[in-house]
């Protein structure tokens, strides 16, 4: 493989959305099970983006999709607007998995690294900064006005970084993302995040995922890429 | 001022194009005065972009504009294609001014920082990485398919970062850039780079530039912004 750019998914892959969102839910919605609520909310993620990808609706910011799915989950509950806004913003500040910063630091020494997520450009810039993730640049699906796994997102990344799709290694904890990247001509690396959806729901399993590389975390991936 | 984002020009402002390009010219074109050649080449920068801004020609990558102006400067000289390509790539690897990394590191502790240049996204990502500049994100004029001082570039930056234009502080060593930023509603900071064009040509002088802040370098700017 001739890898020039290591592009990384964010939610679940480099940061722990379950813990971060559940903590905000616990603080703001004391009447619900915070982990279960966070997982149900995240469960609406793919369907809400599918409606954009299939053309059922126009492109919308991830914040807007998060708000709509939150309103659905809260139907009938007396939760005020400021609280709903704060809940949506829980997705803007999420903790990095412990291996993400040290692993990415090693990978960045030899490769260009990019955040490549369905989050908006502003959301990603703020989230990556607060989590201390050492990316060389932020690339959002917003720049393609599309959502992964639409090939347009991966191809926009390649065009902006002036490399061939096959020179990008897409790193993600999700089969659907890696399937999309591979279909768009990218190389793929799966990072296993067994706790991504908390203790009660199973995350994507290595044995179900086709990828050029399989890693247990970003430190393992750095080693496989030959980074010291 | 309510500054949320500190956006920085690159060529001449955070990196020393004169020294970097002159070194490559000295290595590849032994028959010319390297500093004078570098300064003449840079002199074609504004006119070449003006032709895009006025609609005389379609948007083109900075590399393309650099190559065209290089070909003009080399008219009649027997310089081969690979050498011309290497000269154009001299603009991809330029040394940071000594104060840029420490000053930006301080500024980044309290503000979102962005590279905002007329260089292409790939060029900027590579240049910023090699120079070790600690920006949170790269924003290129390419994302607006326009060139500074066109308001579209500054407004695209504000939209992508989800802030008002007045919440961006544009930092540059050039009057034309700061005039454009101010006209687009941004706040402005001038950094004086007296050696930008080498020892024989005068750079923009503080007394000629209108800006909200005037700084001698990025360390001074960090101090004025209250960064430790």
């Amino acid at each position: 493989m001739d890898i020039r750019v290591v592009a990384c998914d964010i939610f679940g892959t480099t940061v722990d959305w379950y813990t971060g969102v559940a903590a905000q839910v616990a603080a703001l919605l004391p009447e619900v099970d915070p982990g279960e609520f966070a997982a149900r909310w995240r469960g609406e993620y793919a369907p809400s983006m599918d409606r954009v990808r299939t053309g059922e609706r126009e492109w919308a910011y991830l914040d807007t999709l998060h708000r709509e799915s939150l309103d659905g989950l809260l139907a009938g509950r007396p939760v005020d607007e400021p609280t709903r806004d704060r809940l949506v913003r829980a997705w803007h500040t999420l903790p990095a998995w412990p291996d993400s910063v040290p692993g990415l630091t090693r990978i960045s020494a030899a490769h260009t690294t990019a955040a490549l997520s369905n989050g908006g450009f502003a959301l990603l810039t703020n989230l990556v900064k607060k989590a201390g993730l050492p990316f060389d640049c932020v690339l959002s699906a917003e720049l393609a006005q599309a959502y992964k796994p639409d090939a347009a997102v991966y191809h926009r990344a390649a065009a902006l970084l002036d490399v061939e799709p096959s020179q990008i290694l897409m790193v993600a904890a999700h089969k659907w993302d890696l399937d999309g990247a591979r279909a768009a001509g990218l190389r793929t690396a799966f990072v296993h995040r067994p706790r991504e959806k908390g203790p009660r729901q199973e995350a994507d399993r290595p044995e179900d995922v086709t990828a050029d590389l399989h890693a247990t975390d970003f430190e393992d991936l750095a080693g496989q890429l030959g980074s010291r």
Side-chain angles (χ1 to χ4, degrees), chain A residues 83-114:
Chain A
T83 302
R84 290 172 193 239
D85 285 346
R86 286 176 64 192
L87 285 164
V88 166
R89 293 188 65 86
W91 295 92
H92 291 222
T93 307
L94 298 169
W97 296 107
D99 54 279
S100 296
V101 172
L104 277 168
T105 300
R106 290 167 61 195
I107 293 168
S108 278
H111 299 87
T112 297
T113 54

Side-chain angles (χ1 to χ4, degrees), chain A residues 100-169:
Chain A
S100 296
V101 172
L104 277 168
T105 300
R106 290 167 61 195
I107 293 168
S108 278
H111 299 87
T112 297
T113 54
L116 181 53
S117 159
N118 282 335
F121 192 90
L123 178 157
L124 285 178
T125 298
N126 293 331
L127 186 152
V128 160
K129 180 181 180 71
K130 285 185 220 156
L133 295 164
F135 287 113
D136 295 315
C137 64
V138 171
L139 288 171
S140 163
E142 179 182 358
L143 297 175
Q145 297 277 299
Y147 279 119
K148 295 188 293 182
D150 192 320
V153 177
Y154 308 103
H155 289 165
R156 178 81 167 129
L160 282 171
L161 290 172
D162 196 21
V163 295
E164 296 298 321
S166 64
Q167 293 175 316
I168 300 183
L169 180 70

Side-chain angles (χ1 to χ4, degrees), chain A residues 33-49:
Chain A
D33 178 313
E36 195 232 333
F37 191 90
R40 278 175 58 214
W41 196 0
R42 173 72 178 185
E44 299 293 323
Y45 182 73
S48 67
M49 288 187 304

